[in-house]
Amino acid sequence: MEEPKRVYQVWKGKNKFFFGGRLMFGPDVGSLIFTLLLILAPVFVFCALVATKLLHELHSYNAGYAILFLVIFLTIYVLILLFLTSARDPGVVPRSTNPPSEEFGGYESSASVEVGGKLSENLQFPRSKEVFVNGVPVRVKYCETCMVYRPPRCSHCSICDNCVERFDHHCPWVGQCIGKRNYRTFFLFVSSSALLCITVFSMSALHMKLLINKHATILKAIKESPASLVLIAYCFVLLWFIGGLTFFHLYLICSNQTTYENFRRRGGSRVVNAFDRGCTNNFVEIFCGKTEPSRIKLRSYAHQVVANFAYVSEKNGTVEDRRANVEEGVDIGNDILKISQRRDSVRAGEQIR
């Protein structure tokens, strides 16, 4: 008897899973190797060729050991944040196995369905809804791939092929979407990387200054420690990128925007931000809010899963759970055909009367 498959084994998105579905990465998880090299290579050079010399030159109060410990601590902290950002569910909205049949009323429908689960043009029902969030109308769209109405601030990532709640962007540096469940760790990763970069830059510059004072010429100082000059140049260039990214996301947090929403507004879309509750409350929401549990049970058996269909409440724009049993081999076309036949029979009865 064939062993039943788990959800991560029949996953329709493009994600990659490790350790039996316990770790969930994006399809470009290989880019993490390059990111790790960008972090670890300069830290290794600093610890081996700069920090060891600072141990002797800053022997008073063990300042050299304090610098070495600080750099190692920041590096471990950055790597932990990178792992937490990359290896977890960013807030994927579970796919539905059926189109929203409750929306068919008053619209024409047929039994035609495209291969792969996407709805054909013959199935007519609203492609968007208008819901209210904090008294402001927000338009939510229907996703033909996932067959759900996306919650507010949700978007479908073309790289991972998933709908992600509070979608910010897909980050190739971490190989994962940035969304509702990993935005906090992503920001802490970027800001901590900037702090690590500043530390290595300033300590390398300090070492170079000590050598210049010792030899009285810059050339002799560079000749004795070329690694310090390389680290200064490397960190200076890198800091423009991650430092700018840190300040950009600080601005987004202050105004309660996502990167995706910010770029849309730049494109000329003048939409009122219904989620902005003031700078202080926005910071509290991001850094003090509880991380909601994942809505996808990757290690559950596929034939036993009860899907949490995303349904957008028209009262306040919140996401409610409408549960329906998910069985393997569901024939969506037959379901739609039954709806169409039922409506045709009702119409025929009305004509006879």
Side-chain angles (χ1 to χ4, degrees):
M1 182 177 180
E2 185 180 356
E3 183 179 355
K5 292 185 177 181
R6 298 181 184 271
V7 171
Y8 78 91
Q9 294 175 317
V10 295
W11 188 254
K12 292 184 179 180
K14 299 177 182 178
N15 301 85
K16 294 183 179 180
F17 303 94
F18 299 91
F19 297 102
R22 293 177 177 85
L23 302 181
M24 176 183 183
F25 293 89
D28 49 350
V29 61
S31 62
L32 276 174
I33 298 175
F34 183 65
T35 303
L36 289 172
L37 285 175
L38 289 176
I39 298 171
L40 294 177
V43 170
F44 177 79
V45 172
F46 176 82
C47 292
L49 303 178
V50 179
T52 52
K53 295 180 180 180
L54 287 174
L55 293 177
H56 303 287
E57 296 174 4
L58 300 175
H59 56 82
S60 59
Y61 303 104
N62 292 322
Y65 287 99
I67 293 171
L68 181 61
F69 173 80
L70 177 62
V71 170
I72 294 175
F73 172 79
L74 284 175
T75 302
I76 295 174
Y77 182 61
V78 166
L79 294 179
I80 292 174
L81 291 171
L82 175 61
F83 175 79
L84 292 176
T85 303
S86 302
R88 72 194 309 185
D89 164 29
V92 174
V93 175
R95 299 189 185 206
S96 171
T97 56
N98 293 285
S101 57
E102 69 271 9
E103 300 295 333
F104 287 171
Y107 297 89
E108 298 295 329
S109 62
S110 72
S112 178
V113 175
E114 289 183 1
V115 176
K118 293 186 178 181
L119 300 178
S120 70
E121 294 298 328
N122 296 328
L123 186 59
Q124 302 294 327
F125 61 93
R127 294 308 190 203
S128 64
K129 285 183 178 183
E130 191 174 79
V131 299
F132 287 86
V133 178
N134 298 325
V136 179
V138 175
R139 185 167 296 278
V140 295
K141 296 181 179 180
Y142 176 77
C143 179
E144 294 190 356
T145 301
C146 301
M147 289 193 287
V148 295
Y149 279 100
R150 302 169 187 161
R153 315 191 86 177
C154 177
S155 184
H156 191 92
C157 175
S158 60
I159 298 176
C160 293
D161 198 21
N162 295 314
C163 279
V164 179
E165 290 190 78
R166 202 187 183 279
F167 177 76
D168 191 88
H169 69 290
H170 183 94
C171 181
W173 301 102
V174 303
Q176 181 64 282
C177 282
I178 307 302
K180 185 176 183 178
R181 299 188 69 249
N182 65 349
Y183 181 79
R184 181 190 304 167
T185 54
F186 169 76
F187 175 79
L188 292 175
F189 163 70
V190 172
S191 57
S192 300
S193 298
L195 182 59
L196 175 62
C197 192
I198 292 173
T199 304
V200 174
F201 174 84
S202 57
M203 293 302 103
S204 299
L206 174 62
H207 184 228
M208 183 61 65
K209 182 178 182 302
L210 292 175
L211 292 178
I212 292 174
N213 293 339
K214 177 181 176 181
H215 297 289
T217 61
I218 297 178
L219 292 178
K220 289 183 178 179
I222 295 175
K223 186 177 181 180
E224 181 173 340
S225 182
S228 295
L229 181 63
V230 172
L231 288 173
I232 290 172
Y234 177 85
C235 292
F236 178 79
V237 174
L238 192 62
L239 193 57
W240 280 101
F241 172 71
I242 57 177
L245 193 61
T246 299
F247 282 108
F248 174 66
H249 280 279
L250 279 174
Y251 160 72
L252 293 180
I253 294 172
C254 286
S255 55
N256 206 329
Q257 297 183 72
T258 65
T259 301
Y260 179 73
E261 292 168 347
N262 182 264
F263 284 176
R264 286 184 61 190
R265 290 187 175 93
R266 290 183 184 180
S269 178
R270 302 297 180 182
V271 181
V272 177
N273 187 358
F275 307 95
D276 186 4
R277 301 188 299 166
C279 184
T280 301
N281 291 330
N282 293 338
F283 267 90
V284 171
E285 177 184 332
I286 295 298
F287 294 106
C288 301
K290 183 180 179 181
T291 301
E292 296 183 5
S294 175
R295 299 177 63 200
I296 51 176
K297 309 301 180 183
L298 295 172
R299 289 187 50 77
S300 300
Y301 290 105
H303 67 281
Q304 295 177 342
V305 168
V306 176
N308 298 326
F309 292 163
Y311 175 79
V312 181
S313 170
E314 298 194 15
K315 295 181 180 180
N316 55 9
T318 58
V319 180
E320 300 176 358
D321 286 342
R322 290 196 171 183
R323 298 179 178 269
N325 292 327
V326 180
E327 300 292 341
E328 292 182 354
V330 175
D331 189 349
I332 300 174
N334 288 338
D335 291 340
I336 301 175
L337 180 60
K338 291 177 183 178
I339 296 172
S340 178
Q341 290 174 345
R342 191 182 303 116
R343 183 171 291 111
D344 291 341
S345 62
V346 172
R347 288 175 179 173
E350 291 177 351
Q351 290 176 358
I352 293 174
R353 291 178 185 177

